[in-house]
Amino acid sequence: MTSFVYRNGALNAERVPLGRIAKEVGTPFYCYSTAALGESYGAFADAFADRRATICYALKANANLSVIRTFANLGAGADVVSGGELRRALVGGIPGKKIVFSGVGKTRDEMALALDAGILQFNVESVPELEILNEIASERDEPAPVALRINPDVAANTHEKIATGTRDSKFGIDIERALEVYASARELPGISLQGIAVHIGSQLTDLAPFEAAFDRIADLARNLLARGLPMVRLDLGGGLGIRYVDEDPPGVKAYAEMVGRIFAGLEVEFVFEPGRALVGNSGVLVTSVLYIKETSARTFVVVDAAMNDLLRPSLYGADHAITPVAAVADDSPRTTVDVVGPVCETGDVFATARSLPPLASGDLLAIGSAGAYGAVMSSAYNTRPPAAEVLVKDTAYAVVRARATIDDLLAQDSLPAWLALSNAGARGAA
């Protein structure tokens, strides 16, 4: 987190003290760094500067419009997986011609919306999807640009819930059927074949699974071209991991060198879909300590953020670095604690048996690497308004998603007439 550093004894986002934001906005809140977003995007763009490549930011990692607009201003495209994300990408300033639409369950309405937007390509994941898209595009006399997403049957060596490239997953077309399906797609009047796509999973910290998958995809691409089938583009997905606590993921340069070696001689455009790698370490979740609870078995640090704000630890057993916002000396005493939230679930835990300096009620903690799959997966479970979101640029900050109030949450519900009348009658009788 090079954009999150201690200055004058306090953790800053760029040049804004997190404690200042906490005082003015309240906790919990997400804080994103413009400089970190630019640095991560620049690393990807530079790594592939020597080839025709579009960096399509995967909105599912963080869909805040200010984050999207920041990447749009840097020249990014977008990878979307729903009609809602497509709308967000467009409103965020990303042109349709730089948007890729992925996902296994696109609806007819979403397909029509994407055709209206003039997107770069649909990553089609099944034969039934291909047939429906052909039908819709043919009715409009507007061929849909398509890349077939291929499942290479390669294990990603990541958490089972974010592995997408083996034959037992719901994603993609089996590589054994790829040639047959690709050839048949060429004959469909509503389909304009662009190439093939692959994505084997997220948070990969080793290049070996990428290499195994890309080897199979490169062989397939060369086979398709040798048969005279059209191919202008290869979409290699995303998935490059980041450091949360002690991981040692490969750098973007090493990843790019591997891509260049495997696909050498293929004169095609490339699409990459990084999400976590662009935003993960560009954000933190700041939370306040509520209580220190001592039991005969453990010490609990109870904070005001919860699993409804950051689900990853509960959902994936994920580890995030946790850092006091007030600087402490390197030789300060440490205590082994569990950092937990207030939600009424035993699984509402951010860290177990974590070594931290002594803490007290009111202290601020920053949960690191929270820019990806944090706010975007949040909910109002326990009728808890999700954390606010803040974007920092140098010495300035702005609230880019305000914290909802409980009244806002209640206003989302409506009562049927018989309950509304019943309540009114009860009030009148009283």
Side-chain angles (χ1 to χ4, degrees):
M1 296 189 298
T2 57
S3 293
F4 297 89
V5 296
Y6 287 98
R7 301 179 190 276
N8 301 318
L11 189 60
N12 280 231
E14 299 187 29
R15 294 186 177 276
V16 180
L18 292 175
R20 174 188 154 199
I21 302 175
K23 184 176 180 179
E24 296 172 1
V25 174
T27 58
F29 67 89
Y30 281 95
C31 182
Y32 312 126
S33 161
T34 298
L37 295 171
E39 181 181 341
S40 59
Y41 180 80
F44 252 92
D46 290 348
F48 293 101
D50 61 344
R51 63 182 65 247
R52 291 179 295 159
T54 302
I55 311 300
C56 289
Y57 166 59
L59 263 66
K60 60 181 174 286
N62 185 321
N64 189 284
L65 283 174
S66 290
V67 171
I68 298 168
R69 179 64 60 89
T70 298
F71 285 133
N73 289 346
L74 292 169
D79 167 51
V80 304
V81 294
S82 72
E85 284 193 349
L86 173 58
R87 288 284 305 278
R88 279 188 175 273
L90 294 170
V91 172
I94 296 177
K97 64 183 180 181
K98 297 179 77 172
I99 296 175
V100 171
F101 197 160
S102 304
V104 301
K106 305 176 191 72
T107 67
R108 288 174 175 267
D109 286 345
E110 288 174 327
M111 291 176 181
L113 181 67
L115 287 169
D116 287 341
I119 68 168
L120 179 66
Q121 70 185 33
F122 294 84
N123 285 352
V124 169
E125 307 230 8
S126 68
V127 171
E129 179 190 340
L130 184 67
E131 292 170 346
I132 293 295
L133 181 57
N134 173 63
E135 177 186 322
I136 293 171
S138 296
E139 289 172 354
R140 301 163 62 113
D141 194 23
E142 182 182 358
V146 164
L148 294 187
R149 178 172 175 177
I150 306 303
N151 186 320
D153 195 25
V154 170
N157 297 334
T158 188
H159 193 283
E160 62 179 6
K161 292 182 179 179
I162 51 176
T164 61
T166 55
R167 67 172 65 247
D168 57 354
S169 81
K170 68 180 181 180
F171 297 97
I173 295 165
D174 288 349
I175 196 165
E176 291 82 2
R177 295 194 61 204
L179 181 58
E180 164 205 345
V181 176
Y182 201 90
S184 65
R186 184 187 190 184
E187 305 305 316
L188 297 175
I191 300 300
S192 173
L193 275 177
Q194 303 297 300
I196 52 180
V198 65
H199 177 70
I200 61 172
S202 182
Q203 186 52 16
L204 275 68
T205 56
D206 182 359
L207 289 180
F210 285 120
E211 185 153 359
F214 292 171
D215 276 337
R216 301 197 76 183
I217 293 299
D219 287 345
L220 173 61
R222 292 186 174 100
N223 191 2
L224 293 171
L225 287 168
R227 293 169 181 263
L229 293 167
M231 179 177 302
V232 298
R233 193 174 300 121
L234 285 174
D235 183 337
L236 299 184
L240 193 62
I242 65 170
R243 180 182 177 90
Y244 281 96
V245 178
D246 56 7
E247 300 88 344
D248 186 23
V252 182
K253 280 189 175 181
Y255 173 79
E257 289 168 359
M258 179 262 297
V259 168
R261 171 171 48 82
I262 291 175
F263 294 97
L266 279 172
E267 296 299 323
V268 295
E269 301 171 16
F270 287 86
V271 171
F272 299 94
E273 302 170 0
R276 186 194 316 263
L278 297 187
V279 295
N281 283 325
S282 300
V284 297
L285 173 61
V286 179
T287 182
S288 298
V289 174
L290 296 175
Y291 308 108
I292 307 298
K293 179 179 178 179
E294 305 272 0
T295 74
S296 59
R298 320 178 77 88
T299 298
F300 296 98
V301 176
V302 184
V303 298
D304 64 355
M307 63 187 289
N308 74 293
D309 300 302
L310 179 62
L311 186 60
R312 295 190 70 257
S314 298
L315 182 62
Y316 302 126
D319 285 332
H320 288 253
I322 300 178
T323 308
V325 168
V328 295
D330 291 340
D331 60 353
S332 66
R334 299 272 166 166
T335 305
T336 299
V337 299
D338 293 357
V339 181
V340 303
V343 156
C344 195
E345 297 274 353
T346 302
D348 184 22
V349 177
F350 291 117
T352 302
R354 187 68 62 88
S355 178
L356 288 172
L359 296 167
S361 177
D363 287 348
L364 297 174
L365 296 174
I367 301 177
S369 306
Y373 304 106
V376 77
M377 296 178 75
S378 64
S379 73
Y381 186 43
N382 282 190
T383 311
R384 289 175 45 85
E389 296 176 68
V390 170
L391 180 66
V392 167
K393 184 175 183 182
D394 194 21
T395 60
Y397 81 85
V399 175
V400 294
R401 181 172 295 168
R403 191 188 324 279
T405 66
I406 292 176
D407 283 344
D408 293 332
L409 300 182
L410 295 178
Q412 295 174 358
D413 297 358
S414 59
L415 294 172
W418 62 88
L419 290 177
L421 289 172
S422 173
N423 286 349
R427 286 195 300 270

